[in-house]
Amino acid sequence: MIQPTRALDQIIRTTLGDEEAALRDRFGEQSTGELFIEAMRGPYRAWMGAGMVVSLAFLAVGIHAALQFAQATDVRSMLLWGGVAMLCFGVILAVKIWSWLEMMRGALAREIRRLELQVLLAGRPREG
């Protein structure tokens, strides 16, 4: 699936002139770290920061519960600590999924801007 996208990108680059190609390259692919930083600077930066704090807090509680589970001697304690650990790790998973969705929302918005730019440039009359 990656090859057709690269082939399409190559066709677009050869079709567009140097000025248009420079504009297109400005909207190039971003790494995961860049997507994360963009999400942290976006409109939901407070929620992203709160999600990180919540994740760290639940990680600490989850690790503590997992250690207590490993040291438990009776079944009731094992069920209690195991349930707490699973709940904590489930909350972390939910926050991480939400964070990834926010990162992908930003990437999708960037791709839409890129597509709009390509349509705009493709509709412009050629010079020369």
Side-chain angles (χ1 to χ4, degrees), residues 37-54:
I37 290 170
E38 182 180 309
M40 288 298 287
R41 291 181 181 160
Y44 296 109
R45 66 181 161 263
W47 285 106
M48 291 288 288
M52 288 181 61
V53 170
V54 166

Side-chain angles (χ1 to χ4, degrees), residues 16-124:
L16 298 175
D18 292 336
E19 178 184 327
E20 289 91 353
L23 283 173
R24 187 197 171 282
D25 288 338
R26 197 177 113 207
F27 295 105
E29 295 295 320
Q30 290 180 314
S31 68
T32 304
E34 291 169 336
L35 288 172
F36 179 74
I37 290 170
E38 182 180 309
M40 288 298 287
R41 291 181 181 160
Y44 296 109
R45 66 181 161 263
W47 285 106
M48 291 288 288
M52 288 181 61
V53 170
V54 166
S55 290
L56 289 174
F58 274 92
L59 179 64
V61 173
I63 289 173
H64 174 72
L67 292 174
Q68 292 297 319
F69 171 80
Q71 296 173 356
T73 56
D74 60 311
V75 175
R76 183 179 184 280
S77 296
M78 292 175 89
L79 287 173
L80 174 70
W81 289 114
V84 169
M86 288 179 59
L87 178 70
C88 288
F89 295 133
V91 169
I92 292 169
L93 180 64
V95 169
K96 294 302 174 190
I97 288 173
W98 178 79
S99 297
W100 276 98
L101 287 173
E102 280 301 309
M103 290 171 30
M104 293 302 107
R105 183 191 57 80
L108 181 62
R110 184 178 44 83
E111 288 297 321
I112 290 171
R113 286 191 304 265
R114 178 180 156 197
L115 181 62
E116 288 173 343
L117 176 65
Q118 289 173 354
V119 169
L120 177 70
L121 293 175
R124 191 169 71 180

